Amino acid sequence: MNAAEQFQAAATEKAGDLRHRAVIQKAIGTYDAAVAKGKTRFSDWQNARSHAAQIKWETINHLDRYLEQFERKVIENGGQVCWAETAEDARRYILALAQRRGVKRVVKSKSMTTEEIHLNEAFEHAGIEPIETDLGEYICQLRREPPYHIVTPVMHLTKADIAQTFAMPATTSAEEMTMFARAKLRQAFLTADMGVTGANFAVADTGMIAITENEGNARLSFSLPKIHVAIVGIEKLIPRLGDLALLWPLLSTSGTGQPLTAYNSLIGGPRQSGEPDGTTEFHVILLDNGRTKLLADAEQRDALHCIRCGACLNACPVYKNIGGHTYATTYQGPIGSVITPHLRDAKEWSHLPFASSLCGACTDVCPVRIDLHHHLLHNRRNAVQRGFDHPLQRLAFRLWLWAMKSPTLYRLGGKLLRFTPMTPWTKTRDFPEPPAQSFKDWWEENERRP
Amino acid sequence: MNAAREQILARVRAALRVPAPRPAAPTTAPVFPPVTDLEKRFREEFTALRGEIVETLDGYPDVTGCDCLVAQTGSIIVSTRSAGGRVASVLPEVHAVRARRDQIVADLPAALALLRRRYDGHWPSALSVITGPSRTADIEKILVMGAHGPKRLLLQFVA
Amino acid sequence: MRAALFIPCFVDQLYPQVGIAMVKVLRRLNVDVHYPAAQTCCGQPAFNTGCWDEARQLATRFREIFAGAEAIVCPSGSCTAMVRQFYPELIGQSAPVYEFGEFLVKKLGVTDVGARFPAKVTYHDSCHALRELRLKNEPRQLLAKVRDLELIEMDQAETCCGFGGTFAVKFPMISYAMDEVKCTSIRQTGADYVVSADSSCLMQIAGYLGRTGQPVKTISLAEVLAST
């Protein structure tokens, strides 16, 4: 099966899974209530979105300048910068570093970019033990499952499911499980040789990366091991430190509804002289991996504004019914269906933009105003222009066009429609009984004036 | 990796030759309502996040300082300098902080501006905006305190 | 006022009573309506499926047929959005099309059209009317003035019904699941009718309600406003 067939099969199965639907509805219901409350802390949420869109537009449209400034500052602060064109380049750099330093164990804090480059598999292959330390990601790792959601990795699991993963009784409380993971992972932090994180933002004017989290695992990951490696997509840049005064609350509010997550950290380099602890090495990997292809598409360039808050997933009625794993992509939901055909193979992933009713709920919630559902339309157009659609579909639209250009053929077509079986739609739903007379016929009979 | 650097920057520059339209400008209205009574607001926010304001920190041997407190969000900002390194404010079960009332600033813009004034040109290697004790809601969105960082966050105001 | 009628192919073929109801209300308000008989489809099915070349030809054709019309009224938020929001991207120009309820409230300044509809109803916001045309209050203002009508809002009023044109055919099970979520919310209101500005949504909703044997009926905003 190709990716499109796999998607169709998985989507069909999940859409009918009522248990899955109930779990997701409950989780997103809790999220929706928190976000509605969180937005009231802003004077004007819509205006906040506009500010954020400006900040990201400014960055992305002068990205070369901000990347160079960021790099210069990181190096001034004693850090090292690696530019990685591909996932493989990024993996190769980290593995070589780990092998040079004799790294045996790596603690990781939640990072979609490391998912994107399949870093855990690469570590395992090289005999290095990667340990996910975000609770949700840790559960995913134990289950050998990819994250279900870019912010809430185990949204699809119930407490009982997770207890089973931990080999604990089904009645175990969330607190007991969290404390179990805390104790287990504390040992990992204390014995790891390298901490790997992503970054939510990369601040150009101070050369710092910013990491948003709630648990403290990212802070431990860049505090205890001797080496800190941060993998940063080049679109994560922001111009100024002061921009975080908006972007931090905006990300928290859209991500979880919190006014601010528990920890928002800035890391500017390794331990300095006079500091009692910290890392001896700080490496930032600036990852392209297809991002410059998306950048070159001016029409959809704003998709690089994304701050990975997950709001568009939570708002998406398709996501809510088919779940994150069905997409089989690193980035799921509307943003994933926009960017995946650009970042990866456009033909292989061309089905994703079509798997949307184009309802636009995603665009309305996006805190940086990405025109998501219109970009799904643009991706559909691109797919057809490149000939990725089914030849029969193309033929059908040609015939349809031919009929629609002629009122006579159109009327004839309308009459034929009455005998056309509308499967697969009618497999599950009733199709209306076509009326005896069309509006056109009615008008002609009753209203036409000489 | 210099070749990769040049490749990426060249691709970025080539891509940006075609401009993308600038989004509609925001209004000049403030993004957040102004914060008035700083201490009152800080106390409200901090305790709502399950931070605890205490009269004494006797019995807590490891107490850190901080850079400032943020009224708008009930946050405590620490750095490797103000808190004595990276682990002191994240590794213990209880993070105890001593601060002065005059360290409270109104909001995040004021806090970030203060940090810049204090550190520009010689930044500490790490800083954290701490907003309540460590927490997670990864399991069924149920809030659990003390995921990896401190389970409790104590603050004592001193003169 | 003079207005051209834009009756989308969908309404023309499957729901002519919606167009007829619209004509009735407009006449009641002394609008001089005319119907350019050569009209067929605005091109949206092709446009949404990525076939912009095909859609472009129909957009151009639409512009020619409706050339010179100062106002065009359409009993569909979706097809109105196609012409007003998407034609500029497709052919560089638009046409002055208004969704029927929008035309009444914004163009004519009327909210009370003298209708009576003794029933409990709930309103389904079609995605195109809500998010492309930003029509949230207009239909509710109109329904508020209908005598003996009780509007009960559903939880998921703004949630997509799952139709989405060719989406419903390409991904029937996702579309069906969305329909089910929508109809569950409709049923919870206890309403007799679900009302909408888009007959395509109503077809999707009725398709589920009918198959599952539920008593809730569907009706277009135009038909509610036409009833006395």
Side-chain angles (χ1 to χ4, degrees):
Chain A
M1 275 202 286
N2 63 29
E5 288 159 355
Q6 271 171 30
F7 177 86
Q8 183 69 260
T12 299
E13 194 196 325
K14 270 294 178 233
D17 181 345
L18 297 183
R19 179 182 184 267
H20 169 264
R21 193 188 296 173
V23 170
I24 299 313
Q25 281 183 347
K26 182 163 170 262
I28 293 181
T30 309
Y31 163 89
D32 285 341
V35 172
K37 194 164 162 236
K39 284 179 180 171
T40 63
R41 295 176 67 100
F42 291 76
S43 313
D44 177 354
W45 174 252
Q46 298 308 331
N47 201 39
R49 295 172 71 210
S50 300
H51 274 288
Q54 288 289 329
I55 294 169
K56 287 303 290 188
W57 183 91
E58 158 70 20
T59 323
I60 295 300
N61 285 279
H62 302 90
L63 191 58
D64 51 336
R65 187 205 296 169
Y66 290 117
L67 283 168
E68 286 184 304
Q69 187 186 12
F70 174 77
E71 177 194 38
R72 197 166 61 241
K73 289 282 176 182
V74 171
I75 293 168
E76 275 174 29
N77 297 340
Q80 296 174 59
V81 177
C82 156
W83 298 69
E85 289 188 75
T86 62
E88 204 202 327
D89 289 351
R91 286 194 302 264
R92 200 186 303 124
Y93 180 86
I94 303 174
L95 289 179
L97 175 68
Q99 277 154 352
R100 267 202 314 279
R101 302 288 185 266
V103 169
K104 302 264 186 303
R105 175 176 277 184
V106 175
V107 280
K108 281 188 62 211
S109 78
K110 180 166 170 43
S111 152
M112 293 314 295
T113 316
T114 61
E115 291 289 332
E116 178 185 329
I117 66 168
H118 301 290
L119 186 59
N120 285 355
E121 293 88 323
F123 274 136
E124 282 168 6
H125 203 71
I128 297 165
E129 183 192 9
I131 302 171
E132 293 287 353
T133 61
D134 169 82
L135 178 60
E137 294 284 346
Y138 178 59
I139 296 165
C140 288
Q141 192 178 27
L142 290 178
R143 298 171 65 90
R144 302 205 73 84
E145 226 174 47
Y148 176 90
H149 183 287
I150 59 175
V151 174
T152 322
V154 291
M155 188 190 260
H156 62 306
L157 300 178
T158 64
K159 208 153 48 97
D161 295 331
I162 297 165
Q164 196 180 27
T165 305
F166 283 154
M168 287 171 141
T171 50
T172 313
S173 71
E175 183 166 8
E176 287 167 316
M177 287 189 264
T178 305
M179 290 312 129
F180 168 79
R182 178 186 168 108
K184 195 121 184 143
L185 293 169
R186 186 53 68 97
Q187 285 313 305
F189 285 120
L190 293 168
T191 54
D193 317 290
M194 176 187 273
V196 173
T197 71
N200 296 92
F201 304 101
V203 186
D205 74 344
T206 59
M208 294 168 173
I209 60 160
I211 303 180
T212 292
E213 54 151 348
N214 271 307
E215 298 181 0
N217 61 310
R219 294 185 65 201
L220 290 167
S221 298
F222 67 72
S223 297
L224 290 166
K226 287 296 151 212
I227 306 164
H228 175 198
V229 181
I231 304 174
V232 184
I234 54 172
E235 84 285 10
K236 291 284 171 228
L237 268 286
I238 57 168
R240 297 156 296 262
L241 184 70
D243 295 327
L244 292 170
L246 170 67
L247 294 172
W248 272 338
L250 195 85
L251 172 59
S252 291
T253 303
S254 287
T256 64
Q258 290 172 277
L260 213 53
T261 60
Y263 302 120
N264 282 283
S265 301
L266 292 161
I267 303 96
R271 170 188 183 177
Q272 296 169 4
S273 61
E275 291 182 346
D277 57 18
T279 52
T280 54
E281 291 177 56
F282 174 57
H283 300 257
V284 178
I285 298 177
L286 291 173
L287 180 70
D288 179 348
N289 205 29
R291 286 163 176 77
T292 48
K293 275 197 288 174
L294 183 51
L295 191 74
D297 185 341
E299 184 177 61
Q300 296 189 49
R301 188 176 293 158
D302 68 346
L304 289 168
H305 296 184
C306 179
I307 58 173
R308 306 278 187 260
C309 69
C312 63
L313 283 63
N314 298 336
C316 178
V318 172
Y319 182 90
K320 283 189 248 201
N321 282 298
I322 66 171
H325 290 149
T326 298
Y327 292 84
T329 55
T330 307
Y331 307 101
Q332 316 88 358
I335 185 67
S337 297
V338 169
I339 65 176
T340 305
H342 294 269
L343 300 184
R344 295 169 73 177
D345 185 80
K347 186 174 183 188
E348 190 182 356
W349 301 99
S350 65
H351 56 285
L352 290 179
F354 287 93
S356 162
S357 64
L358 301 171
C359 81
C362 48
T363 306
D364 266 12
V365 297
C366 177
V368 291
R369 293 191 181 278
I370 301 170
D371 202 3
L372 287 161
H373 73 296
H374 292 154
H375 292 336
L376 294 174
L377 270 168
H378 296 141
N379 276 344
R380 291 181 185 191
R381 176 206 58 204
N382 295 348
V384 170
Q385 272 175 358
R386 294 183 198 171
F388 300 157
D389 57 331
H390 199 284
L392 279 177
Q393 173 183 297
R394 182 69 64 87
L395 180 69
F397 272 107
R398 294 250 162 90
L399 284 169
W400 171 84
L401 173 66
W402 181 58
M404 289 296 161
K405 283 165 86 171
S406 147
T408 316
L409 284 173
Y410 166 84
R411 292 178 91 143
L412 186 67
K415 301 230 171 357
L416 286 174
L417 171 86
R418 284 153 177 74
F419 306 103
T420 314
M422 284 291 287
T423 51
W425 197 84
T426 47
K427 252 193 216 158
T428 50
R429 281 155 289 187
D430 289 349
F431 194 71
E433 194 66 39
Q437 200 179 34
S438 71
F439 181 89
K440 250 184 206 337
D441 295 337
W442 175 82
W443 181 272
E444 209 157 80
E445 219 174 276
N446 297 278
E447 303 288 333
R448 199 170 188 178
R449 288 162 204 165
Chain B
M1 285 282 168
N2 265 344
R5 179 185 190 278
E6 295 319 313
Q7 282 291 332
I8 292 172
L9 284 172
R11 280 204 296 272
V12 168
R13 288 184 185 119
L16 294 178
R17 265 182 226 128
V18 182
R22 190 187 261 275
T27 70
T28 53
V31 172
F32 292 99
V35 177
T36 46
D37 187 336
L38 266 56
E39 187 178 338
K40 180 167 170 278
R41 174 73 181 267
F42 176 81
R43 283 175 179 271
E44 282 169 11
E45 298 286 346
F46 184 71
T47 49
L49 294 158
R50 305 204 192 175
E52 301 164 55
I53 296 175
V54 295
E55 292 304 316
T56 172
L57 288 173
D58 288 352
Y60 295 100
D62 307 313
V63 179
T64 78
C66 66
D67 286 276
C68 63
L69 308 174
V70 187
Q72 176 199 10
T73 55
S75 308
I76 299 175
I77 302 188
V78 298
S79 65
T80 44
R81 290 197 203 138
S82 66
R86 299 189 188 193
V87 301
S89 58
V90 67
L91 198 61
E93 296 264 311
V94 181
H95 177 207
V97 184
R98 212 169 261 137
R100 296 184 317 275
R101 286 182 174 77
D102 65 10
Q103 285 186 287
I104 307 176
V105 300
D107 51 19
L108 284 171
L112 293 172
L114 178 142
L115 293 174
R116 185 181 288 278
R117 278 199 305 279
R118 185 172 293 163
Y119 294 128
D120 207 16
H122 58 109
W123 285 93
S125 69
L127 303 96
S128 288
V129 180
I130 297 174
T131 310
S134 162
R135 61 194 59 205
T136 186
D138 274 350
I139 302 174
E140 281 192 12
K141 293 255 167 203
I142 300 163
L143 182 65
V144 177
M145 306 306 290
H148 287 292
K151 295 174 180 172
R152 293 173 67 201
L153 177 62
L154 308 185
L155 174 67
Q156 183 197 10
F157 280 118
V158 293
Chain C
M1 170 162 307
R2 196 170 148 74
L5 300 173
F6 163 30
I7 306 295
C9 52
F10 201 83
V11 171
D12 177 48
Q13 291 295 329
L14 293 172
Y15 298 98
Q17 71 275 20
V18 176
I20 297 167
M22 182 173 85
V23 171
K24 201 168 145 188
V25 176
L26 291 172
R27 291 241 169 94
R28 203 191 289 156
L29 298 168
N30 295 318
V31 177
D32 178 15
V33 297
H34 62 106
Y35 177 71
Q39 62 181 284
T40 57
C41 172
C42 62
Q44 182 169 206
F47 179 74
N48 281 358
T49 315
C51 300
W52 286 27
D53 289 340
E54 286 79 2
R56 198 170 285 119
Q57 295 186 44
L58 290 180
T60 309
R61 188 174 179 276
F62 182 99
R63 283 273 313 163
E64 284 161 7
I65 288 166
F66 285 93
E70 58 175 290
I72 305 165
V73 200
C74 172
S76 157
S78 187
C79 303
T80 303
M82 176 64 198
V83 176
R84 207 159 79 197
Q85 304 300 110
F86 296 113
Y87 275 14
E89 192 168 354
L90 197 57
I91 56 169
Q93 47 188 339
S94 178
V97 185
Y98 300 87
E99 183 277 322
F100 174 51
E102 176 187 34
F103 181 79
L104 296 178
V105 176
K106 285 192 177 163
K107 198 80 179 157
L108 298 184
V110 175
T111 50
D112 188 344
V113 297
R116 178 175 171 274
F117 193 75
K120 285 192 279 188
V121 309
T122 191
Y123 189 78
H124 161 67
D125 286 292
S126 76
C127 298
H128 275 129
L130 181 70
R131 299 195 187 85
E132 302 294 348
L133 305 176
R134 299 288 165 197
L135 301 175
K136 177 75 185 175
N137 295 327
E138 290 77 0
R140 289 170 175 79
Q141 286 172 279
L142 290 161
L143 290 174
K145 293 287 170 64
V146 175
R147 282 149 199 82
D148 303 328
L149 179 145
E150 186 192 346
L151 176 68
I152 308 163
E153 292 285 358
M154 66 178 121
D155 273 358
Q156 309 268 332
E158 297 187 358
T159 303
C160 179
C161 66
F163 180 62
T166 47
F167 165 74
V169 179
K170 281 178 187 263
F171 300 97
M173 284 314 291
I174 308 178
S175 168
Y176 178 77
M178 289 162 71
D179 205 355
E180 193 162 64
V181 170
K182 185 84 213 185
C183 290
T184 304
S185 186
I186 291 169
R187 210 183 43 211
Q188 281 164 356
T189 62
D192 309 311
Y193 288 90
V194 52
V195 183
S196 181
D198 272 283
S199 300
S200 46
C201 303
L202 291 177
M203 180 182 91
Q204 163 90 350
I205 290 167
Y208 180 88
L209 294 174
R211 182 62 62 93
T212 52
Q214 295 180 50
V216 193
K217 296 181 279 290
T218 56
I219 189 166
S220 69
L221 180 65
E223 289 165 280
V224 172
L225 298 180
S227 69
T228 47

